[in-house]
Amino acid sequence: MPLVPMKQLLDKAESGGYAVGAFNCNNMEIVQAIVEAAAAEKAPVIVQASQGAIKYAGIEYIVALTRLAAEQAPVPVALHLDHGTSFAQVMQCIARGFSSVMIDGSKYPLEENIALTKKVLEAARAVGVTVEAELGKIGGTEDDIFVSEKEANYTDPEEARYFVEKTAPDALAIAIGTAHGQYKGEPKLDQERLSLIRSLVKIPIVLHGSSGVPDDAITEAISRGVRKVNIDTNIREAFMGGVKRALAANADEIDPRKALGPAKAAMIEIVREKIRLFGSAGQA
């Protein structure tokens, strides 16, 4: 089926009390693994492209790969821009066929973030594209975006209420203790802050940096209103693990398919596992 707006998936998740997995892609095998895993689990899914993915593969390739995978899939697929940094980039992604975009204005003062988000919303809604916004800085590295521990800060509930009142995005990414990249220790989520924010904003909440967060913490966050869970690092780990195992078994191998095949299989397994954890299996 054609790519669908992410809002369509999140609205259904809101009614059903589960979360939709959003998985970052960088190449053909990753796109295939994400969509094949979703099809196997009969689950809706979000394929995401970050700044690094766009630089590496190019917008046209990402759109073409994901659109083809979606057209051949028996489940709904959304294509989402992860951490869009400017109005111009968001417009470029919309023009190329993304069905959903994130505008990350969290590095700006509150009023500037509001103004930028409103500008994106006005343009995106005119063409039926979903918009995710962010309030609060999520630590760690997401390709070209780096937020130090010192700069990272939790989302203020009252600011969240004010921000959503002024902008009304389709979903809101918040900072409650997660981080991008691999964790050095076990992350501790501020679940009470999440509940308070959710009670004030009444829109789907997005949890970034979810690779490495304990399963029980993810499940609790979903029960408190998270409707989109982002996974990137776990996919990278599965991909490289599959490649390394294949090459360790035969160091003289020259056929890339013999390494990329096992990598794809490993990614399918981790995506299926996450889909089941998020409660979206069987919800397509």
Side-chain angles (χ1 to χ4, degrees):
M1 60 183 71
L3 291 168
V4 301
M6 187 172 74
K7 186 178 187 302
Q8 177 180 316
L9 307 185
L10 298 187
D11 284 350
K12 188 178 177 187
E14 181 65 32
S15 299
Y18 59 88
V20 180
F23 303 95
N24 285 70
C25 72
N26 288 287
N27 64 9
M28 182 186 75
E29 284 79 13
I30 301 177
V31 171
Q32 289 175 331
I34 294 168
V35 177
E36 287 178 27
E41 294 294 333
K42 297 180 175 59
V45 74
I46 300 159
V47 176
Q48 299 192 146
S50 66
Q51 300 295 317
I54 288 172
K55 285 186 177 181
Y56 175 75
I59 291 178
E60 291 82 2
Y61 276 95
I62 289 171
V63 172
L65 288 166
T66 309
R67 180 178 286 147
L68 178 60
E71 288 172 352
Q72 295 180 344
V75 297
V77 179
L79 175 58
H80 179 69
L81 168 64
D82 191 24
H83 290 285
T85 55
S86 69
F87 180 79
Q89 185 192 51
V90 167
M91 292 303 102
Q92 187 179 28
C93 287
I94 291 174
R96 294 297 193 281
F98 278 62
S99 63
S100 177
V101 293
M102 177 188 185
I103 180 62
D104 182 357
S106 62
K107 66 181 179 180
Y108 300 114
L110 179 60
E111 293 301 331
E112 287 185 39
N113 190 356
I114 288 172
L116 176 59
T117 301
K118 287 176 71 173
K119 185 178 180 182
V120 168
L121 276 160
E122 183 178 7
R125 288 218 167 118
V127 290
V129 171
T130 304
V131 176
E132 173 187 336
E134 181 171 329
L135 190 64
K137 295 179 181 177
I138 299 164
T141 301
E142 176 84 4
D143 288 324
D144 296 340
I145 300 172
F146 173 73
V147 177
S148 68
E149 290 184 19
K150 183 178 179 181
E151 294 174 312
N153 56 68
Y154 285 12
T155 303
D156 178 85
E158 277 302 318
E159 281 195 358
R161 179 197 59 76
Y162 176 73
F163 180 86
V164 171
E165 183 180 279
K166 294 295 183 181
T167 59
D170 299 304
L172 181 67
I174 62 173
I176 58 169
T178 57
H180 295 121
Q182 291 181 309
Y183 289 101
K184 296 175 182 177
E186 183 176 302
K188 303 294 184 183
L189 305 192
D190 190 340
Q191 302 280 9
E192 294 303 322
R193 182 182 298 267
L194 166 59
S195 288
L196 180 54
I197 291 171
R198 185 64 176 80
S199 71
L200 294 171
V201 303
K202 307 295 186 184
I203 62 172
I205 300 297
V206 181
L207 194 64
H208 284 242
S210 301
S211 296
V213 176
D215 288 357
D216 59 346
I218 293 287
T219 302
E220 182 177 352
I222 292 170
S223 74
R224 292 173 182 256
V226 166
R227 296 293 171 252
K228 173 177 178 271
V229 182
N230 287 16
I231 299 291
D232 183 10
T233 300
N234 285 156
I235 293 176
R236 299 184 189 206
E237 292 168 340
F239 186 109
M240 294 308 299
V243 170
K244 289 175 182 177
R245 287 189 295 274
L247 295 180
N250 186 0
D252 296 325
E253 182 61 68
I254 63 168
D255 186 344
R257 294 168 296 185
K258 296 295 178 63
L260 294 176
K264 178 181 168 182
M267 289 186 289
I268 289 173
E269 283 308 305
I270 191 65
V271 173
R272 292 188 69 174
E273 177 185 315
K274 295 298 181 181
I275 285 171
R276 293 191 292 267
L277 175 65
F278 303 157
S280 56
Q283 299 292 344

